[in-house]
């Protein structure tokens, strides 16, 4: 087991996708401190500092994913009591992980003066081989899952980005259309105002001409009343009222027009009386 010094197969994925700078370290202590608290067991002092340095500076162990998986893996595996000193068990677990990732030894059992720990290690060689295989397999599956999640999130981000771009383009199109419609509405409004002014001008001119025509009818009546029918007089009164309404609406000085056509104020009064106005 000790001669197997290979890195995990997906180290490159781990480093490129899930690496953290030291400023992103968890605020509740490092992985060693957290495990000491969770397990109620701590590493022997001569090994703890070395594991702390490894967890803080190793390129892989500094990543969020490696730390999260390793911490949870040790917690779960530590539930299995190997029937040896629990401190020794924790050390042996860390030794497997340390060797697997860093390709360096944490605990050299062949050079250990602690006979109890030495004997415990020899008894657990098969257990440690299985522990190593479980760690490698679990780590690989965990990182493949994280990589798949990253791919999914990346694809979703690209989808959302494309949708945002589409919506932005649609918004620009709608804005351009709104501007076009606004310009068209302004043009139509200006045209309507022009037509309205033209219609008013035309109505005023027709009203003035109509008043002049009614003056002529009145003069005919005055000079030859026998040729004018009563029905014609009633009809002209209707026209006169219509033109008077226009005069009020468009502020036309109808008396000035009538005075100019009839010659004096007295004739104007007589004509207005004839048409039933005054």
């Amino acid at each position: 087991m000790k001669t197997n010094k290979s890195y995990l197969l997906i180290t490159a994925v781990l480093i490129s996708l899930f690496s953290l700078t030291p400023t992103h370290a968890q605020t509740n202590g490092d992985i060693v401190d957290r495990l000491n608290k969770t397990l109620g067991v701590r590493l022997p002092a001569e090994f703890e500092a070395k594991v702390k340095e490894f967890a803080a500076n190793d390129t892989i162990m500094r990543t969020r994913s490696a730390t999260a998986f390793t911490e949870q893996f040790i917690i779960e595996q530590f539930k299995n009591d190997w029937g040896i000193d629990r401190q020794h068990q924790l050390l042996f677990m860390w030794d497997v992980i340390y060797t697997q990732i860093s390709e360096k030894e944490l605990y050299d059992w062949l050079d250990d003066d602690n006979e109890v720990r030495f004997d415990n290690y020899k008894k657990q060689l098969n257990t440690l081989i299985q522990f190593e295989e479980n760690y490698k397999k679990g780590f690989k599956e965990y990182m493949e899952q994280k990589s798949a999640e990253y791919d999914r999130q990346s694809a979703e981000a690209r989808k959302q980005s494309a949708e945002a771009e589409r919506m932005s383009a649609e918004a620009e199109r709608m804005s351009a259309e709104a501007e076009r419609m606004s310009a068209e509405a302004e043009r139509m409004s200006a045209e309507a105002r022009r037509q309205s002014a033209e219609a008013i001008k035309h109505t005023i001119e027709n009203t003035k001409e109509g008043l002049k025509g009614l003056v002529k009818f009145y003069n005919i009546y005055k000079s030859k009343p026998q040729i004018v029918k009563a029905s014609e007089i009633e009809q002209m009164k209707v026209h006169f009222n219509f033109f008077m309404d226009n005069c009020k609406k468009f502020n036309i000085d109808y008396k000035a027009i009538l005075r100019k056509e009839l010659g004096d104020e007295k004739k104007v009064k007589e004509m207005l009386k004839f048409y039933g106005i005054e």
Side-chain angles (χ1 to χ4, degrees):
M1 179 188 64
K2 280 289 184 176
T3 59
N4 184 358
K5 306 292 187 178
S6 63
Y7 272 94
L8 299 176
L9 296 178
I10 51 176
T11 296
V13 175
L14 173 66
I15 294 173
S16 62
L17 301 184
F18 304 98
S19 59
L20 294 176
T21 62
T23 57
H24 291 103
Q26 298 187 44
T27 57
N28 56 339
D30 60 25
I31 183 175
V32 178
D33 292 331
R34 293 195 299 274
L35 283 172
N36 288 342
K37 182 177 180 180
T38 301
L39 302 177
V41 178
R42 70 182 307 140
L43 289 166
E46 64 269 29
F47 296 103
E48 184 174 276
K50 194 171 182 180
V51 174
K52 279 178 169 286
E53 192 278 334
F54 160 70
N57 298 310
D58 182 84
T59 303
I60 296 177
M61 282 303 297
R62 287 174 63 199
T63 63
R64 180 188 290 113
S65 295
T67 301
F69 172 79
T70 300
E71 183 172 350
Q72 190 59 37
F73 183 81
I74 291 176
I75 291 173
E76 292 299 321
Q77 292 295 312
F78 204 73
K79 293 176 181 178
N80 301 321
D81 190 342
W82 294 355
I84 62 175
D85 184 283
R86 296 290 272 173
Q87 187 182 54
H88 295 169
Q89 181 175 337
L90 180 61
L91 171 62
F92 300 158
M93 287 180 171
W94 266 117
D95 176 58
V96 171
I97 295 168
Y98 187 99
T99 302
Q100 184 65 214
I101 294 178
S102 72
E103 296 187 334
K104 298 176 183 178
E105 289 185 343
L106 173 65
Y107 167 68
D108 185 358
W109 66 289
L110 294 176
D111 194 34
D112 190 1
D113 294 331
N114 187 321
E115 293 184 2
V116 175
R117 188 164 60 196
F118 174 82
D119 287 338
N120 282 340
Y121 189 85
K122 286 194 301 179
K123 292 176 182 178
Q124 298 301 322
L125 285 175
N126 289 334
T127 302
L128 290 171
I129 291 173
Q130 187 60 52
F131 178 85
E132 179 183 29
E133 291 301 317
N134 291 342
Y135 182 78
K136 288 193 296 183
K137 179 182 178 182
F139 193 92
K140 181 175 182 295
E141 292 175 351
Y142 181 82
M143 291 312 303
E144 286 176 346
Q145 176 188 347
K146 287 295 181 182
S147 179
E149 289 178 3
Y150 174 84
D151 289 343
R152 180 187 61 77
Q153 293 172 359
S154 179
E156 182 64 22
R158 288 194 299 271
K159 177 183 176 182
Q160 292 180 0
S161 177
E163 179 64 13
E165 290 180 1
R166 186 194 68 76
M167 292 177 65
S168 177
E170 180 65 13
E172 290 180 2
R173 185 193 67 78
M174 292 177 65
S175 177
E177 179 65 12
E179 290 180 2
R180 186 194 68 78
M181 292 176 65
S182 177
E184 179 65 13
E186 180 60 28
R187 185 193 67 77
M188 292 176 66
S189 177
E191 178 63 16
R193 289 193 298 271
R194 185 192 67 77
Q195 291 180 3
S196 177
E198 186 69 23
I200 291 172
K201 179 182 177 182
H202 184 69
T203 299
I204 291 173
E205 290 176 353
N206 285 345
T207 298
K208 290 178 179 180
E209 291 301 316
L211 289 174
K212 293 177 183 179
L214 289 170
V215 170
K216 291 179 180 179
F217 178 81
Y218 174 71
N219 288 333
I220 292 172
Y221 171 77
K222 291 291 290 181
S223 62
K224 297 178 180 180
Q226 68 277 7
I227 68 171
V228 178
K229 297 178 181 179
S231 59
E232 292 176 336
I233 295 174
E234 293 301 319
Q235 186 177 5
M236 289 302 170
K237 286 182 178 181
V238 173
H239 291 326
F240 195 87
N241 284 323
F242 173 78
F243 290 134
M244 289 300 293
D245 288 340
N246 284 346
C247 289
K248 293 177 183 178
K249 183 177 180 180
F250 300 111
N251 198 28
I252 302 172
D253 188 353
Y254 66 93
K255 288 186 178 181
I257 298 172
L258 296 179
R259 279 195 298 270
K260 183 177 180 181
E261 295 297 319
L262 294 170
D264 59 55
E265 190 69 26
K266 181 180 178 182
K267 291 181 179 181
V268 170
K269 290 181 179 181
E270 290 176 352
M271 177 180 167
L272 292 175
K273 185 178 180 180
F274 170 77
Y275 284 114
I277 301 301
E278 294 182 2

